Amino acid sequence: MDVISRAISDSDAEQAAAYFASMKPFPYIKVVEATTVPKSFVLNGGMRLPLPAGGEEPLGQRIIVLPQDPERILARDTRGSGTIAYVPQGSIARGKELVTTGGAGKTVSCMACHGEALKGNQLGDVPRIAGLQPIYIFRQMYGFQHWTRVGDAASLMRAPVMNLSEADMIAIAAYVGSLAP
């Protein structure tokens, strides 16, 4: 994308931005609490798919994202099939507590900056987090906490994530991902 984006005109960039801004988000992710998940493997390029032979394995304390329809995902048909984000049992309720109340001092309410519905603000400087992939939300929080994520937002996010455990971040990601975009 870097090479392509440098080669387009300002007018084309504005038209592309207007097009993408006009698209309405749709519920692409289904968040499911589970203790076991389908066995899976990772293709070259990082796409995780269910193991063709089937079977299940313990989920443990992690997030596993699998396509609802692997054939459509492989064809890059993202409008025709979404994904299932498997999260640990109880994580959505725990995440809701952390997001809405701060979890008795563990963090601050995410709504203070991301808005009551967690859809960001109209200025665009605070992003929507509702309905995003839980694994993406987790990775962002982890990056803020471990100083691998930089920029203006990183400095604002360090304090809210400082005292969160990985289980807390998984819970927040599960709850946020379960919301309508």
Side-chain angles (χ1 to χ4, degrees), residues 15-76:
Q15 287 178 12
Y19 168 76
F20 287 113
S22 73
M23 297 177 80
K24 300 292 181 217
F26 66 97
Y28 178 75
I29 302 110
K30 179 180 178 181
V31 179
V32 175
E33 291 184 337
T35 55
T36 61
V37 295
K39 285 187 176 181
S40 59
F41 69 103
V42 178
L43 279 178
N44 289 341
M47 188 179 296
R48 182 178 289 276
L49 297 171
L51 200 62
E56 293 205 338
E57 65 181 328
L59 175 60
Q61 220 22 52
R62 56 190 178 146
I63 300 169
I64 297 290
V65 179
L66 293 171
Q68 290 177 357
D69 183 340
E71 288 183 25
R72 289 182 99 162
I73 291 292
L74 286 170
R76 303 291 191 216

Side-chain angles (χ1 to χ4, degrees), residues 78-132:
T78 59
R79 288 280 177 187
S81 176
T83 60
I84 300 172
Y86 294 96
V87 298
Q89 289 285 348
S91 57
I92 294 174
R94 174 70 177 139
K96 182 177 183 179
E97 176 191 358
L98 288 162
V99 166
T100 58
T101 70
K106 222 161 191 215
T107 186
V108 295
S109 168
C110 301
M111 295 176 196
C113 295
H114 292 279
E116 191 172 315
L118 303 176
K119 295 186 180 188
N121 66 20
Q122 297 299 319
L123 301 175
D125 58 347
V126 177
R128 166 182 71 90
I129 56 174
L132 295 179

